[in-house]
Amino acid sequence: VSTAEKSVPPVARVAYEREQPQGGEKSWDEFKNYPDDGTTWISLLMENDEGEYVTEGYPSTLVQGEPQQFVIMITNQEPGTVEYTVITQLQQVDTNDGSPSATERVELDRFKTEVELNEQQPHERSITPTIVGERLRLGVLVYKGDAPEEPTFDNAYRTLHLWVGVT
């Protein structure tokens, strides 16, 4: 089945799993990152057994050195065609002060894409974790145009993340 033939969910509301910074229970939040004047939407999706892209079934544990498939969906509501750079990082995170701060970043994937106005574009990606940890942030960072030399959550145009363990 080609990517274009797969069922793609709407991305006006994208759910992602986020573990609370203080630990404990997991919650499902809506990922909304769009102002009224046009924007870029991103989502991290999984492919189910029927070949559809869904916002469920995310792994909570990855294995170092073993590839994991994800789909990164980009929807452009900006005026005109936009070129994006998309980076996937695995991050060691310190939450001692209550807000997550990356203490180590490992880039797992990077690609560029152009998305036309009102176009929704899925990108099937394979990431292979290279570091081990109990609570790591798998982050997707999106930049308009080129990414800076040191990509971070703070300097990205759009971000999303999933908390994972890597054994």
Side-chain angles (χ1 to χ4, degrees), residues 10-56:
V11 294
R13 292 186 321 231
V14 178
Y16 72 101
E17 185 175 19
R18 183 184 75 192
E19 192 170 327
Q20 298 299 321
Q22 306 305 320
E25 297 181 21
K26 293 182 179 180
S27 66
W28 287 93
D29 292 339
E30 286 186 349
F31 183 79
K32 294 182 181 178
N33 200 352
Y34 52 95
D36 292 336
D37 61 349
T39 192
T40 299
W41 302 335
I42 62 169
S43 55
L44 185 64
L45 306 170
M46 300 299 294
E47 186 175 339
N48 67 16
D49 292 337
E50 290 78 38
E52 299 171 321
Y53 296 137
V54 296
T55 56
E56 58 188 25

Side-chain angles (χ1 to χ4, degrees), residues 4 10 46 107 115 134 166:
M46 300 299 294
E107 187 171 310
V115 184
E134 290 183 20
V166 178

Side-chain angles (χ1 to χ4, degrees), residues 127-139:
I127 60 113
T128 304
T130 57
I131 59 175
V132 174
E134 290 183 20
R135 189 171 184 278
L136 302 174
R137 181 167 65 182
L138 179 63

Side-chain angles (χ1 to χ4, degrees), residues 6-7 37 43 50 75-76 82 84 86 95 111 114-115 140 156:
K6 294 184 181 176
S7 174
D37 61 349
S43 55
E50 290 78 38
T75 302
N76 177 18
V82 179
Y84 299 100
V86 181
T95 56
F111 66 94
E114 281 190 358
V115 184
V140 179

Side-chain angles (χ1 to χ4, degrees), residues 37 105 109 111 143 152:
D37 61 349
R105 295 176 188 87
D109 187 39
F111 66 94
Y143 296 86
T152 68

Side-chain angles (χ1 to χ4, degrees), residues 58-117:
Y58 299 105
S60 59
T61 304
L62 306 176
V63 178
Q64 182 183 28
E66 290 188 14
Q68 173 66 52
Q69 302 297 316
F70 289 99
V71 177
I72 298 171
M73 181 73 71
I74 302 171
T75 302
N76 177 18
Q77 296 296 312
E78 310 272 351
T81 300
V82 179
E83 181 182 282
Y84 299 100
T85 301
V86 181
I87 298 172
T88 305
Q89 292 180 342
L90 194 56
Q91 304 175 343
Q92 291 276 1
V93 176
D94 177 15
T95 56
N96 289 337
D97 66 357
S99 63
S101 174
T103 57
E104 179 183 359
R105 295 176 188 87
V106 177
E107 187 171 310
L108 302 177
D109 187 39
R110 178 185 292 237
F111 66 94
K112 287 185 174 253
T113 186
E114 281 190 358
V115 184
E116 294 181 19
L117 174 63

